[in-house]
Amino acid sequence: MAWLSEVPFSPRRLLRAFAVGAAVVIGSGAVTGVLADLGPGGTAPVRPFHLDQVRLGDGLLQEKRDRMKGFLREYDATKFLVLFNNQAGRSNPAGVSPPGGWEDGGLLSGHWTGHFMTALSQAYADQGEDIFKTKLDWMVNELAACQDAITARMDGEMDSSSSSAASWIPTHPGYLGALPEDTVLRLGPPRWAVYGSDPDVNTWAPWYTQHKIMRGLLDAYYNTNNTQAKDVVVKMADWAYLALTIGDKNHAGYTGNLTREDLNNMWDLYIGGEFGGANEIFPEVYQLTGDAKHLETAKAFDNRASLFDAAVEDRDILVVTPDKIRGTRRPERLHANTHVPQFIGYLRVYEFSGEQEYFEAAKNFYGWVMPHRGFANGGTSGNYPGSTNNVELFQNRDNIANAIAQDGSETCTTYNLLKLARNLFLHEHNATYMDNYERGLFNQIAASRADTDSSNDPLLTYFQPLSPGSNRDYGNTGTCCGGTGQESHTKYQETVYLHSADASTLYVNLYIPSTLNWEDKGFVIEQETTFPRGDTAKFTVNGEGPLDIKLRVPAWVRKGFQVTVNGEALSGKAAQPGTYLTLSRTWQAGDVVEVQMPFSIRIERTLDRPDTQNIMWGPVVLQLLGTPRGSSGYHELSLYRYLQLDGDYARAAITRTGATAAGDPLFAAGGVAARPYYVGDAQPVSSYFRRAEPSVVFGALDAGVANRKRDDGLPRYDVPVAGVPSPGTDGPTFLDLVWDRAPFASHDAFVDAVADTADAFVAAGVYTADERDAIVATAGQAEEELATGS
């Protein structure tokens, strides 16, 4: 391949050159007539830029990233090879031990190695620092040697010079792991191992671990052009094909190849059958090799017995009652982080097979989670009364207020929800996916890294408790969230910009200080912003020619989205929140686009209990500090008496009190201090509060009437919650519904809204006519109280 010497070096350019000769048949899930890129989303209508094309600027995310890079820079990579060397019969340096946690020789060992490789590759792509590639290249080389040594034992070659030499013989060539191959094969027939801790008979998500190792190797190839990593992962994929078709052929009880029913039973097993997003790997290997067997391997992971078909048909069965369980082994509640990444893999299958059901399954599944199980921080999963006591499982549909107790909101799950939203957007360019992505990124993901430095501890969260007055624990060496967290904080730039497959359109999805170098198009675009500490952004375009630039107009915008080009305001239709605003023009070098998107305070009510609420500042949750003193166990806030005709909470109800040294805004809400969710320390905080508005008040005027609730039949759960009638009699209060209509153009308009709402409450039997008259009369008297700016 001497022609490659003509390609200017960068990982992205070199990989694209390899893609020119890729001998694969792309399915109808891909854009035809356009050269495919390698890697996730490489065949989609909208595609990602390579990480090395986007440079992160100074700001919140850069601070988080640099702390993680500091850990990656200092952490001893030799720790990761100890267990692999043990299985390969290779010696280890004296005094070196495995990382610990779950990466300690137990049944999930090896997964953290994959995460670490991905993080190293991303850290290198960020600024090209040699230390990250040097570490990564060493790890890949050592893992390749382990793989070769294990396979060589099939031919009777064994190094007995090491006291740690493994004696087992692999069943199929190409296996690589920190544990014996048997720990993977025993998941299926004839032994059907179950989740547990006995290394001789149990199993613990063996295909999850295989996925993480393979993902790390692929990322090493994509991000640093380590071709040895590609060779190793292709051998692993060859092994996986044999393991999932022929299976455990050397076992005495072997009866033949695996069937579809066998595979269904494997993936239905709680935790043992968790495979992460293993099915995303094999379509990518298919693209690299042109060997169609790898696409078949991906389809072997279809969770057909208990979830896939229901997702295609849009039947939400994430939580079911015992009489409605499908499949032979699934529990009533599905494990959140087991299942979210499966649908990321289904999108990869769709891109290369063109089978529409894979896309429909992923889209529908995401719709079950967001918004029906989504917390304010962008996460999901939690316990609820009467359920199994496991906060890693999905809660029943529309259960938010009764699912935030205890830990919950596992960080790994949010990491995967963001990947799923991003990948869906590549095919269906709905701004809601990016609104949800932004929420998860600037809340749970940004908050998952402590705001301190460490060279021996990743200082990441596992759960982020939403219980009032809870605090976060940072650490997680060896855990799943300690692995995905390393990845999250080294790839902040990956979704800031996307482009259409034909390069005619640039999507600006996130407001993050960054510079895009779009070499193929001849554009360099610099974004200057302090977001989310500030609410403006400036884009300087260096390059010439036609290009559509689509600016995301966040759904949370309430005070306008103003755009100027070279100082001139755009004319025409106003930007609509939750859409993209297209700037279609022939650009000249030095053109400047400026965006103003004033943040505002918003109150969000939970789906099932409207008095349980959270405060938003733009895309960021504001957490209340300290231990709640209310009898409910929550901070209890009364805020309506502070509102004026514009309905702006920031005027007096929830006010700015200052900022931290880093520029993070500080607030006070009803006398309680509040700050952005992303601040990473261990103070007790509350993401939710209870609204306590006992009387109908307008400013300081009290109507003398209780602020009653409308019966909306809440909650309406598909699966019962102990002690909570469903359907219930809860709903929004009178004042909730009045102020939902703000801002008001005049006091007369306000009084009309009060009268309309009061009439509806009388018709519903909530208020009497006399109470209605008292409320309307008080509203009429409150003109001075409610005048904006008074």
Side-chain angles (χ1 to χ4, degrees), residues 184 187-188 192 205-208 240 243-245 258-276 278-279 282 297-308 328-331 334-335 338-339 342 346:
V184 184
L187 173 65
W192 299 110
W207 286 99
Y208 173 98
L244 291 172
T245 53
L258 273 70
T259 65
R260 179 72 258 173
E261 184 178 359
D262 292 333
L263 295 166
N264 291 342
N265 285 337
M266 289 162 61
W267 312 140
D268 254 359
L269 177 65
Y270 172 72
I271 296 298
E274 180 177 2
F275 59 76
N279 50 346
F282 301 99
T297 304
K299 293 180 180 181
F301 289 95
D302 292 359
N303 193 354
R304 292 275 174 176
S306 64
L307 188 59
F308 183 88
T328 59
R329 304 169 98 187
R330 72 153 280 179
L334 292 180
H335 186 273
T338 293
H339 294 89
Q342 294 177 5
Y346 294 148

Side-chain angles (χ1 to χ4, degrees), residues 216-380:
L217 290 163
L218 278 172
D219 290 338
Y221 174 56
Y222 295 148
N223 293 328
T224 75
N225 191 40
N226 186 313
T227 55
Q228 186 178 34
K230 176 173 73 79
D231 294 341
V232 174
V233 81
V234 169
K235 292 177 184 177
M236 291 182 72
D238 290 339
W239 171 85
Y241 174 77
L242 297 172
L244 291 172
T245 53
I246 297 174
D248 195 6
K249 68 182 181 69
N250 292 341
H251 190 273
Y254 180 75
T255 59
N257 287 6
L258 273 70
T259 65
R260 179 72 258 173
E261 184 178 359
D262 292 333
L263 295 166
N264 291 342
N265 285 337
M266 289 162 61
W267 312 140
D268 254 359
L269 177 65
Y270 172 72
I271 296 298
E274 180 177 2
F275 59 76
N279 50 346
E280 76 169 345
I281 296 295
F282 301 99
E284 295 177 37
V285 176
Y286 165 56
Q287 184 184 29
L288 293 174
T289 64
D291 190 337
K293 74 180 181 186
H294 298 301
L295 196 56
E296 294 307 309
T297 304
K299 293 180 180 181
F301 289 95
D302 292 359
N303 193 354
R304 292 275 174 176
S306 64
L307 188 59
F308 183 88
D309 291 346
V312 173
E313 298 164 5
D314 200 14
R315 291 182 290 106
D316 185 344
I317 60 169
L318 296 183
V319 180
V320 297
T321 52
D323 60 309
K324 294 182 179 179
I325 290 177
R326 294 187 56 180
T328 59
R329 304 169 98 187
R330 72 153 280 179
E332 297 168 33
R333 299 172 62 202
L334 292 180
H335 186 273
N337 197 49
T338 293
H339 294 89
V340 176
Q342 294 177 5
F343 291 85
I344 299 169
Y346 294 148
L347 286 175
R348 293 286 83 74
V349 175
Y350 165 67
E351 289 173 0
F352 288 95
S353 73
E355 295 174 63
Q356 186 68 24
E357 65 176 354
Y358 288 96
F359 176 80
E360 295 301 326
K363 176 183 176 180
N364 292 336
F365 170 85
Y366 184 81
W368 300 347
V369 181
M370 292 296 176
H372 296 288
R373 293 172 173 86
F375 296 128
N377 66 351
T380 190

Side-chain angles (χ1 to χ4, degrees), residues 226 262 389 730 746:
N226 186 313
D262 292 333
N389 188 28
D730 205 350
S746 65

Side-chain angles (χ1 to χ4, degrees), residues 38 57 285 627 679 716:
L38 289 184
V285 176
T627 302
V679 175
R716 284 188 293 268

Side-chain angles (χ1 to χ4, degrees), residues 52 76 91 170 220 258 261 384 386 404 429 448 518 588 599 629 639 656 680 752:
D52 69 356
D76 183 3
S91 60
L258 273 70
E261 184 178 359
Y384 57 90
I404 60 178
H429 325 312
S448 69
W518 195 355
Q588 301 297 321
F599 284 12
R629 298 178 181 176
L639 303 173
R656 285 283 294 267
D752 287 344

